[in-house]
Amino acid sequence: MNRDDIYLLYDYNDWADRRILTMCAKISHEQYTAPTTIGTGYGSLRATLVHIVSAMQLWRMLFTDPPNVYRSEEDHTALELTEAEFPTLSVLEKRWQEERDTLRAYLNTLDDGKVKGVLRYTLPNGIVRERVLWHCLVHLVNHGTQHRSEAAVLLTGYGQSPGDIDMTVFLNEHFNLPS
């Protein structure tokens, strides 16, 4: 895995996020905030999307300043975003774009050596983790994929399917290949 591979994964991630957010703009506020039991575990479409952005923020903070993210369980919990912070989709989209831009700025600092380097952090319970950075970067994209698929199920149920959000569809579009 190298820097260009990571960039391609994050290009895919951004593309898939846009597809989900575009379809979210076509549903009602009531649908956006409606309680659900469909697979997400987060209570609503909004909560699922907030969870995606919150994870982006937490991981980005971990990438850039590991000692200050997991100092305690209270600190970690305080950093998690909540539904109440995002009363409307437009507020969430603004925050999503800010986090995306901040994460991209971080990615722009990477070279192949850093991508293959080690990320060391301590969990609130004192356990020290050492991970290869690209493993964590891929995890964040994979995490987004899981929760985007849950959001896609909800959107489809509301008659607003985002269509295929597979990486191969992105690659066909990205490289102008026939589908």
Side-chain angles (χ1 to χ4, degrees), residues 10-86:
Y10 278 80
D11 287 346
Y12 159 71
N13 197 59
D14 294 343
W15 171 87
D17 286 347
R18 278 191 305 277
R19 289 185 72 137
I20 293 294
L21 292 171
T22 296
M23 299 317 288
C24 284
K26 297 180 179 189
I27 63 171
S28 71
H29 181 74
E30 291 73 27
Q31 291 169 319
Y32 175 62
T33 59
T36 182
T37 58
I38 297 178
T40 65
Y42 293 99
S44 68
L45 176 57
R46 174 177 58 182
T48 299
L49 299 175
V50 168
H51 176 71
I52 295 170
V53 176
S54 188
M56 283 174 33
Q57 172 185 275
L58 287 168
W59 276 101
R60 190 248 324 140
M61 292 172 74
L62 194 61
F63 299 149
T64 58
D65 193 13
N68 290 315
V69 177
Y70 289 120
R71 292 179 303 218
S72 69
E73 193 60 42
E74 294 79 26
D75 286 344
H76 180 261
T77 301
L79 291 171
E80 289 183 14
L81 303 176
T82 65
E83 274 190 273
E85 297 173 71
F86 303 98

Side-chain angles (χ1 to χ4, degrees), residues 130-141:
E130 288 191 359
R131 305 264 193 227
V132 176
L133 179 59
W134 75 260
H135 294 175
C136 297
L137 292 165
V138 169
H139 163 73
L140 182 54
V141 172

